[in-house]
Amino acid sequence: MSGNAATRARNPRGQGDRLREELLRATERLLEQVGSEDALSLRAVAREAGVAAPSIYRHFADKTELVWATLEISFERLARAMSEAAAQAGADADPVARLRAQLRAYCHYAVEHPATYRLLYETRQTPVGPERLAGHPAGLVVRSWHDALTACEDAGWRVRCARSEAPYMLWSSVHGRVMIWQVMPSRKDASRLDTFVDEVLHLLLER
């Protein structure tokens, strides 16, 4: 446990955002230790942030909201890296090239930020209903691929699998390949990830 566990002074009026950030950082540190939402205690988060437990409810309705907000920071960074890569491909670029840039950016973000990436996918989360699940921060990534695939279709490409599943096919493909790349004791050549992305698109899209 960090030194933040010592009792902290109350934030002056107007510094609620600072407290929220401290709670998110404390949650991230603890999730790296316990690995699941169920094992995470709000009391432990409060101790880690140096506040009273009821203070958490001023910013988060429940533990699930707190965990999702913590994960959202990293999902936003990942989605931003994907968006920036697509933009660098050029607004007038072939939509497949823009999608390829997104997928490659996803892979490179994962290998360049391994601890953050593991937190996104190794944190076991409490199941919720479909209505609430629709607001999960991973939706940032899925929607990016959905929109990119729509642009490909508008340009005359056909998606070979069920359209509703296509973003998840991309997601599971690159995630699985990244995980294998990370754990196998082979020479770490990121260009192999780029080649894999090319092969996935070749299998998924056709004229």
Side-chain angles (χ1 to χ4, degrees):
M1 185 173 296
S2 74
N4 288 343
T7 303
R8 62 188 293 284
R10 181 187 299 274
N11 280 326
R13 186 182 299 275
Q15 291 192 10
D17 288 345
R18 177 184 169 188
L19 173 56
R20 186 178 190 276
E21 292 302 315
E22 290 173 354
L23 291 170
L24 292 175
R25 287 195 295 269
T27 302
E28 183 175 44
R29 290 192 295 270
L30 291 173
L31 283 175
E32 289 174 352
Q33 297 173 24
V34 301
S36 77
E37 182 180 328
D38 287 344
L40 182 72
S41 154
L42 290 182
R43 188 178 300 276
V45 172
R47 281 199 306 269
E48 181 75 10
V51 300
S55 300
I56 295 175
Y57 293 104
R58 298 175 191 169
H59 299 274
F60 304 100
D62 56 25
K63 185 166 60 171
T64 292
E65 185 175 311
L66 173 61
V67 169
W68 286 18
T70 302
L71 299 179
E72 184 176 20
I73 296 171
S74 295
F75 272 117
E76 286 178 343
R77 291 173 184 153
L78 174 55
R80 188 180 310 119
M82 293 166 55
S83 176
E84 290 172 353
Q88 289 173 5
D92 299 326
D94 176 355
V96 176
R98 291 170 60 83
L99 175 55
R100 179 181 293 109
Q102 282 194 23
L103 291 164
R104 288 181 172 181
Y106 178 101
C107 293
H108 287 271
Y109 181 93
V111 300
E112 291 166 8
H113 304 86
T116 299
Y117 189 77
R118 282 196 302 272
L119 183 66
L120 291 178
Y121 291 100
E122 294 182 8
T123 299
R124 296 184 299 280
Q125 299 167 53
T126 302
V128 297
E131 184 173 332
R132 187 169 189 183
L133 184 61
H136 192 280
L140 292 167
V141 173
V142 176
R143 285 190 294 273
S144 291
W145 286 328
H146 171 81
D147 294 346
L149 286 166
T150 298
C152 292
E153 290 177 317
D154 291 343
W157 292 88
R158 188 177 75 83
V159 178
R160 284 192 169 105
C161 68
R163 183 62 178 82
S164 61
E165 294 300 319
Y168 299 97
M169 292 287 289
L170 291 175
W171 191 8
S172 58
S173 296
V174 292
H175 171 67
R177 185 65 184 93
V178 162
M179 295 304 292
I180 293 171
W181 187 92
Q182 288 180 333
V183 302
M184 290 300 292
S186 56
R187 184 170 60 87
K188 301 304 181 186
D189 181 0
S191 67
R192 295 185 64 185
L193 300 176
D194 294 342
T195 301
F196 179 80
V197 165
D198 294 343
E199 291 299 323
V200 168
L201 292 177
H202 176 72
L203 293 171
L204 186 66
L205 298 172
E206 68 178 0
R207 282 288 193 182

